[in-house]
Amino acid sequence: MSGQVLGFVGLGQMGSRMAARLIKAGHWLVVCDTSEAALAPLLARGAQRAATPREVADRADWVLGSLPNPDAVRAVGLGPEGLLQGQRARRFIDLSTTGPRVARLLAEAFAGKGRVVIDAPVSGGITGAERGTLAIMVSGPREAFEEVAPILGLLGKAFFCGEQPGQAQVMKLCNNLLAAAALAVSSEAIVMGVKAGLDPSLMCEVINASSGRNSATQDKFPRAIIPRSFDFGFATGLSHKDVRLCVDEAEAMGVPMVVGSAVRQMLAVTSASFGPESDFTNIARVVEGWAGVEIGRAG
């Protein structure tokens, strides 16, 4: 194994797969999560358990985190048993989507103790996390980015977005808004076509050969909506959180988001209807319910 000791906090759907790739590449790994079920597969592969983020930062050279929301990132980074209280780690690579304000807060707090936060939100879903094909949007000191680039390269392709804290978060929020918007409006279009008697698979084929093609018609509909599995791999609650962060940040910057606000409402309805843990492709089921038709069955 490599002599580099890495820490990993947050072993959910994304984090567990990224951590597994680091172990496979030969890195010593110290892991921390509140779920025993999440810890078990990594411990079986040689990872070492830590009881708190602070303990991770006491034992690791660099720490990576993949956490579900801004509050969790603040607690892990700055809490009384957080990473900043540890004595060894000098780099925190935050793979979470938190919004730029939390990224700036963490960067300032860590800099005050001579440490660096590398903001590195990811896109590509659980498949990308498993295969190491994630898009990783990075901001922070360029020197620190270049130092950790080989680690990020094990997880996917890194795009340096700038040295200003939070720039990578803005990039990620813009991307996730577009992904959710494409899914929402494509659901409306496909449901309309199905109600008119069109075949949804044919619709996607035509759209993908035409000017309306997008990530939903190219991937989400064929994989998760038309087959009725609704298991693309991204939770409705997380998508709602990301779009809400994006719209709130845009409003704070004086950028109007009329369409973004509508997408946020669609995700709120989906979450209320199917639960925050449901897959966000259930947006299509909301539109189906309103229209009285089911994708996959011509009306």
Side-chain angles (χ1 to χ4, degrees):
M1 286 193 175
S2 165
Q4 183 85 49
V5 178
L6 300 177
F8 209 111
V9 182
L11 302 171
Q13 293 272 39
M14 296 291 288
S16 61
R17 288 166 169 82
M18 289 187 277
R21 289 194 61 81
L22 298 176
I23 293 174
K24 184 178 180 181
H27 288 283
W28 294 100
L29 211 61
V30 180
V31 294
C32 179
D33 196 273
T34 57
S35 167
E36 285 295 322
L39 286 165
L42 295 169
L43 298 178
R45 296 181 62 180
Q48 299 297 306
R49 179 202 305 265
T52 65
R54 177 178 183 168
E55 185 181 340
V56 175
D58 278 334
R59 296 165 57 188
D61 299 299
W62 301 338
V63 180
L64 298 89
S66 180
L67 299 153
N69 55 58
D71 287 342
V73 172
R74 276 192 291 263
V76 165
L78 307 178
E81 290 296 322
L83 297 173
L84 200 53
Q85 304 306 315
Q87 299 302 306
R88 178 172 174 179
R90 291 294 179 267
R91 301 281 185 268
F92 175 36
I93 305 168
D94 185 14
L95 304 158
S96 320
T97 302
T98 64
R101 292 179 223 187
V102 170
R104 289 191 288 265
L105 175 68
L106 258 68
E108 182 178 343
F110 274 65
K113 288 199 172 183
R115 306 179 192 183
V116 173
V117 174
I118 297 150
D119 195 22
V122 302
S123 181
I126 57 177
T127 301
E130 197 165 275
R131 296 178 180 174
T133 58
L134 294 169
I136 309 170
M137 293 146 266
V138 184
S139 58
R142 181 176 284 277
E143 182 179 351
F145 163 65
E146 292 173 353
E147 184 181 9
V148 304
I151 298 298
L152 297 178
L154 299 172
L155 308 178
K157 182 176 180 179
F159 298 86
F160 186 69
C161 298
E163 294 200 283
Q164 183 177 326
Q167 285 182 308
Q169 290 292 333
V170 172
M171 183 69 250
K172 174 65 188 298
L173 294 180
C174 290
N175 175 80
N176 280 23
L177 171 65
L178 289 171
L183 176 58
V185 75
S186 295
S187 295
E188 294 180 349
I190 299 295
V191 165
M192 176 185 175
V194 168
K195 192 154 190 178
L198 292 172
D199 178 84
S201 295
L202 175 64
M203 288 188 72
C204 287
E205 185 178 354
V206 173
I207 290 167
N208 292 336
S210 306
S211 58
R213 65 186 177 276
N214 61 71
S215 61
T217 58
Q218 289 179 316
D219 198 10
K220 298 175 182 71
F221 273 84
R223 278 179 51 187
I225 297 175
I226 294 173
R228 314 299 296 170
S229 59
F230 300 100
D231 60 352
F232 186 75
F234 192 48
T236 300
L238 292 179
S239 182
H240 184 212
K241 177 261 298 183
D242 292 351
V243 173
R244 185 176 67 248
L245 284 171
C246 185
V247 173
D248 289 349
E249 186 65 22
E251 289 176 350
M253 295 169 64
V255 177
M257 281 206 168
V258 177
V259 176
S261 296
V263 175
R264 178 178 59 183
Q265 289 179 309
M266 281 295 296
L267 286 162
V269 172
T270 306
S271 185
S273 300
F274 299 100
E277 300 302 320
S278 67
D279 196 87
F280 81 144
T281 52
N282 281 284
I283 283 181
R285 295 176 68 191
V286 172
V287 183
E288 288 176 341
W290 291 339
V293 68
E294 185 175 287
I295 293 170
R297 298 177 184 172

